[in-house]
Amino acid sequence: MTGVPPDELDRAVQDARRGDEHAFRLLYRDLHPRLVRYATALAGADAEDVVAEAWLQIARDVRTFDGDVDGFRGWAATIVRHRALDHARRAARRPVADVPLSDLAGLPAGADAATLALEGLATREALRLIGELPPDQAEAVLLRVVLGLDAPTAARVLGKRAGAVRTAAHRGLRRLSDRLADGGAASGDRAAKGAR
């Protein structure tokens, strides 16, 4: 979704396997935002940490990967999924201490925090809606639509058959479409009542 042609990304995978840092950066820029969106559905606010852990493993093991860019995306998604499951297990074993708001008041805000917040609203809303789907549908939609994986690759990530992933993604997208149509109709009804 970076606008880089697939054949160039395929070459980047092969070059990254041989240690080409520029090729690895190209793959990172292509895939990182999608992996974060996927991890957000799995790990919530800890998605960036999960993906960072995954990139460490990807960088360490990229020389052993064999395949094209679609296979690389599936391989990376599998690593993110495993890191997210590991993260959830660790979090379940250790309780989280709440930080009082007064401790956060003195922390500096980012220079463009307002802009970043506005840009992230649509993405967060979409991820929230996907997160409300049954888990198998949510993961299928994330892998197929957000990460752009084909059904066989997404099936390998999830350990399912390609047909099951296609069906789950279709059902999830249909549910999202119905939910958006219902929301749009409700908004239109409220606007019409307000105009009376």
Side-chain angles (χ1 to χ4, degrees):
M1 314 237 184
T2 57
V4 179
D7 58 329
E8 189 174 332
L9 290 171
D10 282 334
R11 278 192 307 276
V13 168
Q14 299 313 313
D15 292 345
R17 289 185 63 221
R18 291 189 290 275
D20 184 326
E21 291 179 21
H22 174 72
F24 192 83
R25 276 193 301 274
L26 182 65
L27 293 170
Y28 177 88
R29 282 192 300 267
D30 172 67
L31 191 53
H32 181 73
R34 292 184 260 183
L35 289 176
V36 170
R37 289 190 291 270
Y38 176 53
T40 299
L42 301 175
D46 296 326
E48 287 281 350
D49 294 338
V50 166
V51 174
E53 288 177 22
W55 276 113
L56 289 173
Q57 182 178 345
I58 292 165
R60 184 188 70 225
D61 296 345
V62 70
R63 292 178 194 276
T64 65
F65 174 76
D66 185 27
D68 61 6
V69 70
D70 288 332
F72 182 81
R73 288 175 180 150
W75 178 66
T78 300
I79 293 170
V80 167
R81 186 171 193 263
H82 290 165
R83 294 288 84 52
L85 294 173
D86 291 346
H87 182 79
R89 282 191 287 272
R90 280 192 309 269
R93 286 193 306 262
R94 103 184 99 90
V96 177
D98 291 331
V99 176
L101 286 177
S102 59
D103 290 354
L104 299 176
L107 296 176
D112 60 350
T115 303
L116 290 174
L118 290 174
E119 289 172 357
L121 284 176
T123 301
R124 280 194 300 273
E125 180 63 14
L127 290 174
R128 184 190 64 74
L129 288 172
I130 293 170
E132 292 175 359
L133 293 172
D136 65 322
Q137 292 177 12
E139 268 198 289
V141 168
L142 288 165
L143 290 171
R144 295 294 313 276
V145 178
V146 176
L147 278 169
L149 300 182
D150 60 14
T153 304
R156 281 192 301 276
V157 170
L158 297 174
K160 296 182 176 188
R161 291 183 332 273
V165 171
R166 276 192 287 274
T167 300
H170 174 75
R171 288 179 179 159
L173 290 171
R174 190 175 59 219
R175 262 190 192 185
L176 289 173
S177 176
D178 291 347
R179 188 167 288 153
L180 290 172
D182 291 344
S187 310
D189 291 346
R190 283 191 299 268
K193 287 179 184 175
R196 289 183 194 161

